[in-house]
Amino acid sequence: MASSASMMMGAGSTLRGLLRKQGITPASVLGQVKRNLNLSQGLRMKENTPSMDSSCFKIVSPSVLEIPIQDQQGLLKSLYVGVHAPVSSQRPGNGGLRLWSYDTEEDAVAECAELSRGMSLKHSIYNTGFGGAKLVANAKSLTDVPSICKQKLMEDVAKALHSLQGSVYTGCDMNTNFDDMRYLNELCPYVLASLDSTIDANRSTAHGVVGSAVEAARILLGGHKGKRFLVVGTGKVGTHVSELLSSLGCRVSCHDVDPSRADIPGCENVSHQDWWLAPHDVLVPCCSSGIITHAAAAHLRESGETKCVVGATNIPFASDEALQELVGKGDVVFVPDMLSSAGAVLADSIEHFSKEEYESARDNEVYAFVQTLTRDKTTEYLDRTQSSQGSSARPMAVLATVHEDKSGLPVGKKFTTFVNGEESQYDVVVVGGGMAGTAASYYLSKLAPDLKVAVLEAGEIADPSGSSYGESRMYRRMYSDEYFSVMQSKALDLWRDVERESGLSLLKENGLLFYGETDTGETVEGSIPGAAEIMSKLNIPHEYFDHHEKMDAKWPMRSVPGYEGVYEASAGSINSSLACRAMMDLAQDAAGHDLFTNTSVLDLGIPSPGDVRITCADGKLFRSNKVVLAAGAWTNSILGHLDAELDLELWAMHWGHYRVDPELKHKYPQWFCFRKEVPDLWDGGLYYGFPCEGDESVIKVGIDFCPDHPEFRMRDMADYVRRPNDKIVKLIDDFVRENWVGVGERVDMYSSPYTCTRDQYFVLDRLPSHEEVTLFTGGCGRAFKFAPLLGKLLAEKTLGMAPSHDIAPFSAARECVQWPKVKAMA
Ligand SMILES: Cc1cc2nc3c(=O)[nH]c(=O)nc-3n(C[C@H](O)[C@H](O)[C@H](O)COP(=O)(O)OP(=O)(O)OC[C@H]3O[C@@H](n4cnc5c(N)ncnc54)[C@H](O)[C@@H]3O)c2cc1C
């Protein structure tokens, strides 16, 4: 195996050679510059541009002009402007200002020419409306760079750009930053660096890379979800790329020479090893050029893991030999960086050609557009690669064929149509496809069938990462709180409608036994005496067990002396995943609601009343008048975009399945056990179980308590630990085997989130600060049983109708759900 040192070398030396191989022949040099800038005629611009000062320039190569510089005590040797493709004030050259040190002036000139040629290709692939340009400042040495007076440099650049009168624009590149550009912009207007907006070139680039990478995964691997992406280099671009890929459900590994930078939530840091050893399907270089040396390429080939290379790095291959080593056999595809890493120039195109829209747009709308563009261009590129045999080994030749028609509109001008597109306009957008989102959609389809409604779900309907996934949720009127008992009666009527309309059997009347200690006081699930009292008051039929032996005689249990119980025969379980699917299907069938799964909302903005703008991680854009926010445990991450936050605590709740004696298979009831907590053991005392479903001799068991520890209680799903905790698993193992007869091995164990409020009531209301937003959250481990009623109430609230049930206890304005941001707004 090659050493890491040999794999890392050779980055810069081949940059030139590779650019030459990109299929762009150097145009007839001086003539090009003369043609573009009309230098031969007394340095006058083309017809419609005024004159400029010829003393500013010296022509040093066919496409490069040298600009006079002020004295910097020898620290700065020279400054060049490279102009490749035909440029004019209508189609200006655009390329960053790079401050670097070159061995010779020839090297600096050559780099300037080649980079401007590279920019030319990037611009023409997308028809950005720009031509290729680049500015290169040559420092005496790299160590001198910090000592160079940037102000003087910017003054020199400004003078040159003024003289070119709008034919060349610039922005940041290596060793130049926003402060430099801000100063430059004070001196001349020919700067494209998002100075007056919060749009970030690194984020633009990252979104472009993600659009390209995800599309490549779709075409080459059948999809991106669950596929392994290795991001090499987690600087500003790589970090955003990793976060975005992770939010799209990819398995992301991160590598950086500074390992601490590769600690990104939801991703695995693999910096402890050489990057090429980390398993991956898609390699995403976001580091310096030439990372893929010949030896690294040979290793990747041998491992046979890499299917595709697509990233942000300019020229990721150290040599043409390295490129051929990896892609030469045609089974690994390289999406050239000219295509995938074009996000920043695409944003420039919007900034220049759709100035007004750019200034009023939300940042994420710009990023979404960028993502759409790189995605579409990747489709086109890969179509061409796949349609001609052997072409995947000649990426640059294929790339040369995907140019846009320059006679068409510059791509930035299409931003307006993208943002205002009719297809993305809805009356109501529902965010979240769990219980609340699907129920809301179902009732919107009943109460307002003519509305155009979209449901956006980050994963699948009743996604396993959320709170609604699984085969069973308890329904019961057996509550210590009369309010919930009455609510259940109403909800049961509506459940019957769902079953009838869908033709599915969703509810199963198992009966439910509350049993255990009678002196627990009121727990999160009530208490045995409390429930018995309310059922008596409301005339709900029930049976009371005043002695533990009476229960042991009826069910295969070993209850403790002193335990008592109360049984509600009319309680049972709801097939939760199936119920969500059923409600969604009904909404789609009845009112044509559009469902977008694997569509994660990245941004929610309401710039003016009734103008809800939603952008998604995959670049989809939605506009609506109203939004139903039903994102469960993720509510606050979305509310944050509206500068709001509720006081919600997320609990990691364990549940799993156990084998039981087949002889006893039909004997287990649905049960809930109340015991006092033993904090030292992390034992909250509340356990529950469901009878066997279907043919399997397997019962489901879970807990209804959550130790007061950061591993189990958090405010942000980014901190959620999915892996079940061994200590909690052992508590459940011990409980179920000690307390129930015939229980054998554990089959599986999961952890799913509860979203809890301090008073254990839900939040179902309009957001106080934005009446366009109706939200449901804070299900507190008990909301499923009420699903159709909650959906009806959400729909009524959204449509401005009077609620058909008293929802005052669920107010978003109540004190106990206020968090500083909400309080501050009130
Ligand atoms: C283990 C467990 C047991 C339970 N037992 C019972 C019970 O017996 N009886 C009972 O009545 N209740 C029970 N509950 C509670 C009940 O299941 C929940 O209250 C209910 O399912 C919550 O539904 P939801 O729609 O609010 O949240 P979720 O089901 O979590 O739905 C939220 C959805 O939003 C999506 N989302 C998040 N962020 C985004 C984004 N940015 N863009 C797009 N989509 C996004 C998520 O992927 C998710 O699918 C239990 C809950 C759990 C976890």
Side-chain angles (χ1 to χ4, degrees), residues 47-95:
E47 313 84 76
N48 47 4
T49 53
S51 64
M52 62 181 179
D53 178 7
S54 64
S55 65
C56 277
F57 305 109
K58 194 166 110 197
I59 299 172
V60 291
S61 99
S63 54
V64 179
L65 308 167
E66 184 175 358
I67 297 161
I69 53 170
Q70 300 175 58
D71 178 29
Q72 297 239 23
Q73 288 157 355
L75 296 178
L76 187 68
K77 294 198 289 188
S78 48
L79 175 62
Y80 300 102
V81 179
V83 182
H84 179 253
V87 295
S88 67
S89 50
Q90 275 77 47
R91 186 173 286 275
N94 176 11

Side-chain angles (χ1 to χ4, degrees), residues 21-23 381 391 394-402:
K21 287 189 170 91
Q22 286 173 352
Y381 170 79
S391 57
R394 294 179 288 112
M396 298 313 174
V398 176
L399 190 61
T401 68
V402 297

